Amino acid sequence: MNFDGLPGPTHNYSGLARGNLAAERNAQQVANPREAALQGLAKMRALAARGYVQGVLPPHERPSVPALRALGFRGSDDAVIVAAGRDAPELLAACSSAAAMWVANAATVSAAADCGDGRVHFTPANLVTHFHRALEAPVTTRVLRAIFADETRFRVHDPLPAVPQFGDEGAANHTRFAADVTVPGVELFVYGRRGFASGPAPTRFSARQTREAAEAIARNHGLEAGRTIYAQQRPDVIDAGVFHNDVIAVGEGTFLFCHERAFVDQDALLAALQDAVGPAFRATVIRDDELSLSDAVGTYLFNSQLLPRDDGRFLLVAPAECRANRATSELLDRLIADGTPIADVLTFDLRQSMRNGGGPACLRLRVPLTAEDRAAITANVFLDDALDASLEAWIRRHYRDRLAPADLRDPALLDESRRALDELTQLLRLPAVYPFQIAG
């Protein structure tokens, strides 16, 4: 199933993520947090209506007053925000980031059938490459432990050590291939660089994921070595704006959809996946002369969701930009007509998220659960008509429809966000997970 992250009340365009071309290009524009949250909810609603089990993950508390205090700001919470806005607006922007909405970076998740102890394993990502994202790990861990609380079925690990050698960006660089959630799968970990050894690396932007982090997660999850594959992103592609693997490739079931420039030694990787997954494995590889890398990054074609259909083929859930771009739209039509595993395309207006560099795949965390696993979750996080209506009313009640980077200096925004999040935890039947709730 897919758990989507709700954009938070401080959704804004501060351009914090170097290497994310959309975030850099749209820096300092005025955002609409209410529209961002409603767009994300609309995607969840539409997929739930098609019969897909859809979950919700809450946003984080922002601005992060504890982080600002750790950086030397003193006084009341309001005084901390005023001082940070006056003396270090770049730090206030980082501590106000709503980037936790992209829950593909929340954690790496392994199915129970793949893990040595027969439980679903989660490793929250440390996200050490960027300060504004590294702030997320503690709350993400608490949220996951609150939702997946049954320790007989779930194991939520601590994040890996928060150092560059173990840089971990979560499920954005991880794909599980299996015909079914109940059978052992093949887990593909994609990395950008090695943490303790030299090797090919990008020169313009940082490679965020290390191989050592992927290997540590595989060990902690108890994965079988013969069913675990590691692949490296091409450094030149990272330098072209492919900061995560899910910007250039997406897989589901026994199908991989990717660009020909996605991986180092790509032919060898495809052969290894064919051997490990078996005869059912299929790959559709888009050539550069079919779709340029710049168009792939600009439209986020591969930052899409692949959802299984009853006929064995897939629905591709893509951003609206894929139909607005002629080359991408024509390619999608050819893929459907040629009988590839992609049978249909559904696009969504996610422009509020896309302007910060996050498409449909960024907004969701895939969690392989059996029906019994789902029944063990007592939190109110499964989207149905009642939760959908409650969330829409909650968004309209609490979110601003305009937020410029300068507005982050308004102490009232903190109070608004805390009231909203306190109400949301009650709505989702979650315990105290936010710092202001725990401190209070």
Side-chain angles (χ1 to χ4, degrees):
M1 63 171 293
N2 292 291
F3 280 84
D4 277 39
L6 277 170
T10 61
H11 165 73
N12 72 96
Y13 301 130
S14 291
L16 300 171
R18 179 164 167 73
N20 183 327
L21 301 184
E24 292 182 355
R25 184 172 57 249
N26 292 298
Q28 305 306 307
Q29 290 190 14
V30 176
N32 186 329
R34 183 186 302 163
E35 185 176 59
L38 291 174
Q39 287 174 350
L41 183 60
K43 178 172 82 76
M44 291 186 250
R45 178 188 303 127
L47 297 182
R50 287 179 172 240
Y52 296 104
V53 183
Q54 178 68 59
V56 180
L57 290 177
H60 287 207
E61 177 190 351
R62 292 294 182 269
S64 176
V65 175
L68 291 170
R69 290 188 184 281
L71 296 173
F73 296 99
R74 298 289 183 263
S76 67
D77 290 351
D78 286 2
V80 164
I81 292 169
V82 170
R86 180 189 65 236
D87 300 335
E90 70 284 356
L91 294 181
L92 178 60
C95 292
S96 301
S97 168
M101 62 193 269
W102 297 303
V103 293
N105 302 128
T108 302
V109 190
S110 294
D114 302 349
C115 298
D117 65 1
R119 293 186 289 176
V120 182
H121 280 243
F122 302 75
T123 295
N126 59 32
L127 300 169
V128 295
T129 303
H130 291 93
F131 167 67
H132 72 285
R133 301 229 59 181
L135 296 174
E136 297 170 19
V139 171
T140 296
T141 304
R142 286 199 293 271
V143 168
L144 292 176
R145 286 176 175 163
I147 294 173
F148 302 99
D150 186 342
E151 295 184 0
T152 67
R153 291 188 172 274
F154 310 116
R155 171 75 189 278
V156 180
H157 296 266
D158 290 334
L160 296 179
V163 294
Q165 291 88 344
F166 289 104
D168 175 27
E169 297 280 315
N173 295 311
H174 172 262
T175 301
R176 178 181 191 262
F177 294 98
D180 189 281
V181 70
T182 63
V183 300
V186 173
E187 300 207 13
L188 171 65
F189 291 84
V190 181
Y191 63 95
R193 61 182 173 89
R194 291 181 177 272
F196 288 93
S198 61
T203 58
R204 182 185 178 196
F205 298 130
S206 298
R208 303 185 186 184
Q209 183 86 28
T210 68
R211 177 165 178 142
E212 288 84 347
E215 291 172 338
I217 292 169
R219 287 192 294 269
N220 285 337
H221 290 197
L223 303 183
E224 183 181 333
R227 305 187 68 83
T228 306
I229 295 175
Y230 303 96
Q232 185 174 9
Q233 284 185 272
R234 284 181 49 160
D236 62 313
V237 171
I238 295 175
D239 279 338
V242 183
F243 54 96
H244 289 140
N245 180 61
D246 67 3
V247 179
I248 201 68
V250 58
E252 184 68 37
T254 57
F255 174 52
L256 174 66
F257 179 49
C258 68
H259 194 275
E260 69 173 350
R261 296 173 62 187
F263 307 100
V264 172
D265 297 328
Q266 186 153 310
D267 289 343
L269 170 63
L270 295 178
L273 286 170
Q274 185 74 68
D275 290 343
V277 178
F281 178 74
R282 292 189 66 184
T284 295
V285 180
I286 303 304
R287 301 188 312 273
D288 211 32
D289 61 5
E290 293 180 285
L291 187 71
S292 69
L293 183 61
S294 61
D295 277 342
V297 174
T299 63
Y300 266 34
L301 169 63
F302 297 99
N303 195 252
S304 297
Q305 296 176 249
L306 285 169
L307 299 177
R309 297 175 11 139
D310 291 339
D311 62 1
R313 298 176 75 191
F314 292 90
L315 169 69
L316 186 77
V317 178
E321 284 79 357
C322 288
R323 284 303 187 187
N325 179 285
R326 180 176 177 181
T328 309
S329 184
E330 291 178 351
L331 173 63
L332 288 171
D333 290 338
R334 287 200 306 274
L335 292 172
I336 296 170
D338 290 348
T340 71
I342 297 174
D344 194 10
V345 175
L346 181 64
T347 60
F348 287 96
D349 177 2
L350 298 168
R351 287 185 175 87
Q352 285 293 320
S353 176
M354 287 285 288
R355 287 171 185 156
N356 251 340
C362 289
L363 286 163
R364 65 93 171 92
L365 179 69
R366 287 177 290 190
V367 182
L369 300 176
T370 64
E372 292 77 15
D373 292 331
R374 294 199 300 269
I377 297 172
T378 59
N380 183 33
V381 292
F382 297 102
L383 193 74
D384 55 18
D385 290 344
L387 181 57
D388 177 24
S390 296
L391 287 174
E392 180 170 350
W394 172 81
I395 292 165
R396 294 188 183 280
R397 188 162 58 248
H398 290 289
Y399 279 54
R400 297 186 183 188
D401 62 3
R402 173 187 171 88
L403 195 67
D407 295 329
L408 300 176
R409 304 179 189 186
D410 180 6
L413 183 61
L414 174 65
D415 296 332
E416 294 169 16
S417 297
R418 285 178 171 175
R419 285 196 299 272
L421 296 178
D422 201 40
E423 184 178 321
L424 181 63
T425 52
Q426 298 175 54
L427 179 62
L428 299 181
R429 294 204 299 267
L430 293 175
V433 293
Y434 298 114
F436 78 92
Q437 294 175 319
I438 296 170

